[in-house]
Amino acid sequence: MSTENEGTAVPPAPSAPPVPVETPAASAQGASHAGGAPTAPIPAVPGTPGAPEHPSAPAGMPAYASAGAGQGPDPHGQAAPQGSAPEAGWPPPPPATPSYADGGGSGTGGWGSSYQQPAPKPKNGRGGLVAAVLVAALVAGGVGGGIGYSLAKNNDNSTDSTTVSAPSTSGEVRRASGTVANVAANALPSTVTIEAQSTSGTGGTGTGFVFDTQGHILTNNHVVADAVDGGKLTATFPSGKKYDAEVVGHAQGYDVAVIKLKNAPSDLKPLVLGDSDKVAVGDPTIAIGAPFGLSNTVTTGIISAKNRPVASSDGSASSKSSYMSALQTDASINPGNSGGPLLDASGAVIGINSAIQSSTSGGLGGSGQSGSIGLGFAIPVNQAKYVAQQLIQTGKPVYAKIGASVSLEDGTGGAKITEQGASGSSAVEAGGPAAKAGLKPGDVITKLDDMVVDSGPTLIGAIWTHKPGDTVKLTYTRDGKTHTVDVTLGSREGDN
């Protein structure tokens, strides 16, 4: 997934061309990217979504609500052995990955595509006849419309009119609690459009929401990545008030970041955080964001799936992957929605919109931006809340780990512990959780507690929903036999 600007300006739609004799299909021209914004499409992990992407994501793959695809470098900047993802370091994503929700893939047509006037064809008998019929129909339509308007006007002035007007009311229309309009009215004032700009002037647009009364805003890491090293950050509320901001902490693995408003107002209203563990498939969802730079946009849908394994990256050559056990929704999410809240019917935040599946080739960072096809992914809010609190307290993320490197290749029937770790290190960390539990290279982990594990990225995303010190039950196969063991998760601090 590449982190791309969703603040791309939408070019004015061309005026309707005159009706041609025959209307050959106009050749659509690809829309160009607007400034890069932190949301991108996530390419799908083989069998599951997930892998970093800077290069364009292959068609049909997910991307960040900014996007990208490709093979990420290892945590130390060296290429990890093919097929292995050092868990102790930084596991690169599988060959394909979803994209961030704030960047898109290349494509033709859509907003920004220019209309090409079809070349007039030589007139012949049939063409002239068709044109004459069209003109006659248009004229007839105009006459009929004029007569209809005249009759309607006369009827309105008569005492026999059957038109019924709604009674005028002096008060405002009230929307019942739980309606989309009511939820949006309450949530919009606490949602901001974020603009991030690097020292070189590149950047993009994303979304965030008020986390506490101290001025902390919760968003995606890829939304603010451009501004991390001395760049510029601003947050704009629907009221039009704009504040400078700074990055408090960011976690690339979780794709979560916290920024803080400078000179924050005293009347901030944090959004209520829900419980993502209690979300059920089919529950209604409401997403708020700035798709393609259109701030304060509200869309609706349902929870399509839970615990969806997704790996994504911003598409840069140096990018590391983000791994999610995501909430999947069909609410329309596009480049620019990244970092925005995914709400339930009561208005509580249940997730942070982060990535989209792209049906186009390429992702954010490419020559174009992909759009919603009804496959959006959000970081569960229970995980995001825990990470945000860590970032506010220490500025650094902490990750749970089992201390073993697993393959990112598909078709292994689970998460297979590799024969060797990154840079020639041991695949099973000496004295680590996996070693203490008796796990060895070649073991294939098939379940974590009651969750089926079908690949390395699925296991990584599932582990990262836990905290260091948690005990989980791993089911694995060795020499054709199934075993179950309890593993107490270790910890790793920082993204390096």
Side-chain angles (χ1 to χ4, degrees):
M1 337 258 103
S2 56
T3 43
E4 228 177 74
N5 217 348
E6 305 117 356
T8 307
V10 178
S15 58
V19 180
V21 172
E22 292 183 16
T23 54
S27 60
Q29 297 178 356
S32 61
H33 264 303
T39 26
I42 303 170
V45 175
T48 65
E53 40 176 280
H54 213 8
S56 300
M61 295 307 196
Y64 282 128
S66 345
Q71 189 75 15
D74 80 359
H76 307 293
Q78 299 179 351
Q82 185 174 8
S84 68
E87 186 264 5
W90 201 278
T97 312
S99 336
Y100 290 123
D102 60 346
S106 61
T108 59
W111 295 112
S113 298
S114 59
Y115 175 84
Q116 184 170 343
Q117 177 88 11
K121 292 194 172 184
K123 293 185 178 180
N124 53 39
R126 182 179 177 80
L129 175 60
V130 172
V133 170
L134 288 175
V135 171
L138 290 174
V139 171
V143 173
I147 295 174
Y149 171 77
S150 176
L151 291 174
K153 184 172 184 299
N154 292 336
N155 282 338
D156 280 345
N157 293 332
S158 72
T159 57
D160 296 330
S161 175
T162 57
T163 301
V164 178
S165 299
S168 60
T169 56
S170 56
E172 295 182 359
V173 176
R174 295 183 180 180
R175 268 82 185 185
S177 176
T179 61
V180 175
N182 180 266
V183 170
N186 291 327
L188 277 168
S190 297
T191 304
V192 299
T193 298
I194 298 172
E195 293 181 34
Q197 190 175 71
S198 67
T199 53
S200 64
T202 60
T205 303
T207 308
F209 59 91
V210 177
F211 184 68
D212 59 27
T213 57
Q214 284 70 53
H216 291 110
I217 303 294
L218 189 54
T219 186
N220 283 144
N221 170 74
H222 71 268
V223 168
V224 302
D226 284 325
V228 167
D229 297 319
K232 182 180 179 181
L233 266 182
T234 61
T236 306
F237 286 84
S239 64
K241 291 184 178 180
K242 189 173 187 176
Y243 297 86
D244 288 330
E246 59 186 352
V247 177
V248 171
H250 60 105
Q252 187 159 12
Y254 293 120
D255 195 24
V256 172
V258 175
I259 66 175
K260 187 174 184 180
L261 304 178
K262 296 180 180 179
N263 302 314
S266 59
D267 60 348
L268 289 175
K269 294 182 179 180
L271 290 184
V272 174
L273 304 184
D275 186 347
S276 50
D277 289 341
K278 295 182 179 179
V279 170
V281 172
D283 280 349
T285 58
I286 301 169
I288 300 179
F292 296 101
L294 301 175
S295 301
N296 316 317
T297 294
V298 177
T299 56
T300 63
I302 62 168
I303 291 292
S304 304
K306 295 180 61 176
N307 301 318
R308 184 70 77 190
V310 173
S312 58
S313 96
D314 65 8
S316 64
S318 60
S319 174
K320 297 168 184 168
S321 292
S322 301
Y323 291 87
M324 291 180 270
S325 185
L327 295 176
Q328 180 182 326
T329 181
D330 66 349
S332 182
I333 295 175
N334 287 287
N337 275 106
S338 282
L342 183 68
L343 310 168
D344 63 17
S346 71
V349 180
I350 53 175
I352 301 178
N353 300 317
S354 180
I356 55 176
Q357 178 79 32
S358 173
S359 62
T360 60
S361 60
L364 288 181
S367 61
Q369 291 183 327
S370 63
S372 173
I373 57 172
L375 295 173
F377 305 97
I379 302 165
V381 74
N382 289 5
Q383 179 182 19
K385 176 183 177 181
Y386 165 70
V387 176
Q389 291 171 335
Q390 286 181 327
L391 295 177
I392 292 172
Q393 291 170 8
T394 68
K396 295 182 179 180
V398 175
Y399 299 90
K401 69 173 186 177
I402 62 169
S405 298
V406 295
S407 172
L408 296 178
E409 294 179 350
D410 198 12
T412 56
K416 183 178 181 179
I417 298 179
T418 57
E419 296 298 326
Q420 192 176 65
S423 304
S425 63
S426 174
V428 178
E429 177 186 322
K436 291 179 180 179
L439 292 171
K440 299 178 180 180
D443 290 346
V444 179
I445 299 171
T446 57
K447 289 181 71 175
L448 187 152
D449 292 330
D450 294 328
M451 179 180 178
V452 174
V453 173
D454 56 7
S455 68
T458 300
L459 177 64
I460 295 169
I463 289 174
W464 284 359
T465 63
H466 290 273
K467 302 177 179 62
D470 286 352
T471 297
V472 298
K473 188 179 297 294
L474 294 181
T475 300
Y476 65 96
T477 60
R478 178 190 296 171
D479 299 327
K481 296 182 179 179
T482 300
H483 307 271
T484 300
V485 64
D486 288 337
V487 177
T488 300
L489 301 175
S491 66
R492 173 172 63 80
E493 183 180 278
D495 282 325
N496 296 320

